[in-house]
Amino acid sequence: SLNEPIPTKISKFYILKEYVKTRYLLNGLTDEAIMKLPPMVDQSKINAMSILNVVSLIAHLHESPHFAISIFKMVQLTLKYGLCNVSSWAFASLGILFCASDSIHHACRYGELALKLVKKFDRKEWFPRVNFVVNGIILNFKKSTQACLQPLKGCIRGGIESGDIEIAMSSAYVYSSFVWNRSPIRETKVEFEHFVDLMR
């Protein structure tokens, strides 16, 4: 057992409880303090992080409340047992949850922290996914759309190079939607077709 149980049926009270627990652990911690956490060495917790990551991806696709719970659990494990390569995804996803609750300040803070963490671990397979969430979703509330375009292009290239075609296509879609009303239609069409050709 990984000793990180998640109930099959999740109530609003359970979500609130895990949210409060996560906020309690984060209370008073600066980004610098989180960046200086020791590496996660307990293999059972590293395994739990990997499984929770998969749960979060599937739950997000199905709009399941398990998404929020898996994210809260990953953040809690990171703060209790240290940093691992999945921690960047945990904080990026935490930013998504704060976006959903209209807490844009916290969303941007943890999104930017996620970018620092993914650079710290230098794991190329995580760059596209984390960058897409942060620059394609979160920071668009704070920065100009123009400022998000180059990072999204990087997500497309990174997704293709790492084999994460889902993120490459999602990044291409968001990039194209950002520039659709800002560039000539012919230019946008050519660029989008180039993205499609790259993914074939």
Side-chain angles (χ1 to χ4, degrees):
S1 171
L2 295 176
N3 296 317
E4 299 299 332
I6 296 179
T8 304
K9 293 184 178 180
I10 295 178
S11 65
K12 290 182 180 179
F13 175 77
Y14 186 77
I15 294 174
L16 179 61
K17 185 185 76 166
E18 293 302 313
Y19 168 76
V20 170
K21 187 189 297 185
T22 304
R23 290 301 301 268
Y24 176 78
L25 290 172
L26 286 167
N27 187 43
L29 281 179
T30 63
D31 291 356
E32 183 179 17
I34 294 172
M35 289 287 292
K36 288 183 177 179
L37 288 172
M40 189 179 291
V41 294
D42 186 328
Q43 190 59 50
S44 70
K45 303 305 177 186
I46 295 172
N47 292 342
M49 289 287 284
S50 297
I51 291 172
L52 287 167
N53 166 53
V54 174
V55 170
S56 73
L57 297 176
I58 296 172
H60 187 260
L61 286 174
H62 293 277
E63 299 182 352
S64 165
H66 285 84
F67 175 70
I69 297 303
S70 60
I71 299 310
F72 291 146
K73 293 282 188 184
M74 284 193 285
V75 173
Q76 291 166 19
L77 286 172
T78 293
L79 298 176
K80 288 181 180 178
Y81 300 100
L83 298 168
C84 70
N85 61 326
V86 186
S87 298
S88 59
W89 172 248
F91 280 100
S93 300
L94 185 64
I96 293 178
L97 294 179
F98 278 118
C99 280
S101 63
D102 290 327
S103 184
I104 304 305
H105 170 75
H106 287 99
C108 291
R109 178 196 167 186
Y110 293 121
E112 289 172 338
L113 174 61
L115 291 178
K116 294 176 185 176
L117 287 171
V118 81
K119 289 177 183 176
K120 178 183 177 76
F121 282 89
D122 195 24
R123 295 290 292 269
K124 290 184 179 179
E125 69 270 23
W126 286 102
F127 271 102
R129 190 166 290 273
V130 171
N131 271 279
F132 169 69
V133 166
V134 177
N135 287 290
I137 301 173
I138 298 171
L139 293 185
N140 194 40
F141 286 95
K142 178 181 179 182
K143 294 183 177 181
S144 68
T145 298
Q146 188 67 33
C148 297
L149 293 180
Q150 281 304 120
L152 281 171
K153 273 191 173 181
C155 294
I156 298 167
R157 289 191 297 270
I160 293 169
E161 290 170 1
S162 66
D164 196 340
I165 302 303
E166 176 197 352
I167 285 299
M169 293 182 70
S170 298
S171 300
Y173 173 79
V174 173
Y175 177 89
S176 299
S177 68
F178 280 177
V179 301
W180 188 257
N181 294 320
R182 294 171 176 81
S183 302
I185 292 176
R186 185 188 296 271
E187 181 182 320
T188 304
K189 181 175 181 290
V190 169
E191 194 164 25
F192 188 75
E193 287 174 346
H194 173 64
F195 295 151
V196 173
D197 288 339
L198 287 174
M199 293 174 214
R200 284 176 177 166

